[in-house]
Amino acid sequence: MDEKRRKLAIWIVASLIFQGSIYLYFDQILLAPTSSYEVSAAADTVAGGKAYYSRDRRYTAIVKAGSVDIYMAPRKEPIRTVELGANKKVSYFRWLKDRDLALMALHEDVGDTSTVTLTQIHPMGAEHELAETVSKLPRGSKIVDVAYSTATNVIYMQVQVSTNPEQYRVYRTDANRDLKRVYLNASKISRIAVLYDQDTMFYDNVAEGTVTARHVDGSWEVVSPQTGKYRLVGVENNVIYLAKLNTEGLATAIYTGRLKGKFTEERVLATPTDVRQITVKELGKAANK
């Protein structure tokens, strides 16, 4: 091997080692599993935070204690860091299903009160856009769930205002940024959902074991079957998914139906399951197996 070929071979090997080191850094260090940080929505636990993937995994958001780092696939290139600000924490994060846009909820305690904020994050944007802020809530309050419809531009925010006993409020906002509190017939709920093309929100009354539809005019109706106790799993393509509970509060079967329609048993679960572990997405995966 002459001198030129020897130098070329050394340069190629060095280049491969360098690229491999970068890959290992992202996959084994930056994105390595850890359990030091938690937020409410489902995500993969990674080093220093939690990873949330956009609809086609083009973008990954790593939610940390003080910032959100956004990377672009396939090389996991860092493209943006969103600083949260002092004393602000993330309580909810989720990418939208139909576009590269994420919803992020922040909460901050000030004296005896808390302020919660729901923001939108554009991956390539310079700043995150302020959506809505609710202030003067009981200290410790935080947004724990969000239901949105991109067809009607309506967003519902579920705010936990007490942990002992558990109490929740729901706020509604729309494209006109008309923020209002939605008064419910229950203070302890677990999930909320909204129809794709109608401003109708669903929530469960945990104490009663019923699921209620609340319409935009303020009227409401119990939609779950009259026999047994149920919890809301979610709404997908205007199909409402409910979980039927046993006496221990565990889900034993999944029921499906539509607003103003009859609910029917869609499947029986092989093992009684905690409702919090069941999502419409997971039901879809099981059906496709």
Side-chain angles (χ1 to χ4, degrees):
M1 181 181 294
D2 58 29
E3 183 63 22
K4 289 185 178 180
R5 289 183 178 180
R6 189 180 69 83
K7 290 183 177 179
L8 178 60
I10 293 174
W11 183 87
I12 292 175
V13 171
S15 178
L16 291 174
I17 292 174
F18 176 73
Q19 292 179 34
S21 299
I22 293 177
Y23 176 83
L24 289 174
Y25 170 74
F26 277 99
D27 272 23
Q28 302 300 322
I29 300 178
L30 186 59
L31 303 181
T34 182
S35 58
S36 60
Y37 187 67
E38 292 184 356
V39 289
S40 63
D44 292 339
T45 302
V46 298
K50 288 209 166 188
Y52 295 80
Y53 305 99
S54 63
R55 50 181 175 160
D56 55 1
R57 289 187 172 250
R58 182 180 183 187
Y59 298 103
T60 302
I62 309 296
V63 178
K64 301 179 179 179
S67 64
V68 177
D69 297 332
I70 300 178
Y71 301 86
M72 178 184 286
R75 297 183 178 179
K76 298 175 183 175
E77 298 172 347
I79 57 174
R80 187 182 177 199
T81 295
V82 179
E83 300 293 342
L84 303 182
N87 303 321
K88 292 184 178 180
K89 299 178 181 177
V90 175
S91 63
Y92 178 90
F93 192 96
R94 177 167 294 176
W95 290 95
L96 299 190
K97 297 177 181 178
D98 59 350
R99 66 194 68 181
D100 292 329
L101 178 69
L103 296 176
M104 178 177 69
L106 303 170
H107 65 103
E108 179 181 17
D109 294 332
V110 180
D112 294 333
T113 66
S114 287
T115 297
V116 301
T117 302
L118 183 68
T119 67
Q120 301 175 0
I121 293 181
H122 301 269
M124 302 301 291
E127 299 291 340
H128 59 282
E129 180 181 338
L130 177 64
E132 291 294 349
T133 295
V134 184
S135 57
K136 297 183 179 179
L137 293 168
R139 182 179 175 84
S141 298
K142 57 186 177 181
I143 296 172
V144 294
D145 198 6
V146 176
Y148 59 88
S149 168
T150 51
T152 60
N153 286 320
V154 170
I155 297 176
Y156 288 93
M157 299 176 287
Q158 180 186 356
V159 181
Q160 185 174 28
V161 296
S162 173
T163 57
N164 188 22
E166 286 186 34
Q167 291 185 339
Y168 300 86
R169 297 179 187 175
V170 171
Y171 292 84
R172 176 194 178 278
T173 187
D174 55 29
N176 297 320
R177 300 191 64 178
D178 183 18
L179 177 66
K180 293 180 180 178
R181 181 179 173 183
V182 177
Y183 290 91
L184 311 175
N185 66 344
S187 60
K188 185 177 180 180
I189 58 180
S190 62
R191 283 175 174 163
I192 60 174
V194 65
L195 290 178
Y196 170 74
D197 55 0
Q198 296 180 43
D199 188 0
T200 296
M201 185 194 73
F202 298 87
Y203 63 95
D204 42 12
N205 182 335
V206 174
E208 300 293 334
T210 58
V211 178
T212 301
R214 197 267 187 192
H215 305 288
V216 66
D217 61 1
S219 62
W220 57 272
E221 59 184 306
V222 175
V223 298
S224 52
Q226 295 182 352
T227 58
K229 294 191 174 183
Y230 297 84
R231 291 275 288 275
L232 177 68
V233 176
V235 176
E236 186 76 18
N237 298 325
N238 286 352
V239 176
I240 306 162
Y241 292 79
L242 307 180
K244 187 175 183 179
L245 308 181
N246 62 14
T247 55
E248 298 176 339
L250 299 176
T252 58
I254 302 299
Y255 280 62
T256 58
R258 294 180 180 271
L259 188 63
K260 306 298 183 184
K262 182 180 178 181
F263 280 81
T264 58
E265 184 179 276
E266 193 264 344
R267 76 184 68 173
V268 176
L269 302 179
T271 304
T273 306
D274 189 331
V275 180
R276 293 172 297 184
Q277 299 177 5
I278 305 173
T279 66
V280 174
K281 183 178 180 180
E282 294 302 321
L283 291 174
K285 288 180 179 177
N288 294 327
K289 286 182 178 179

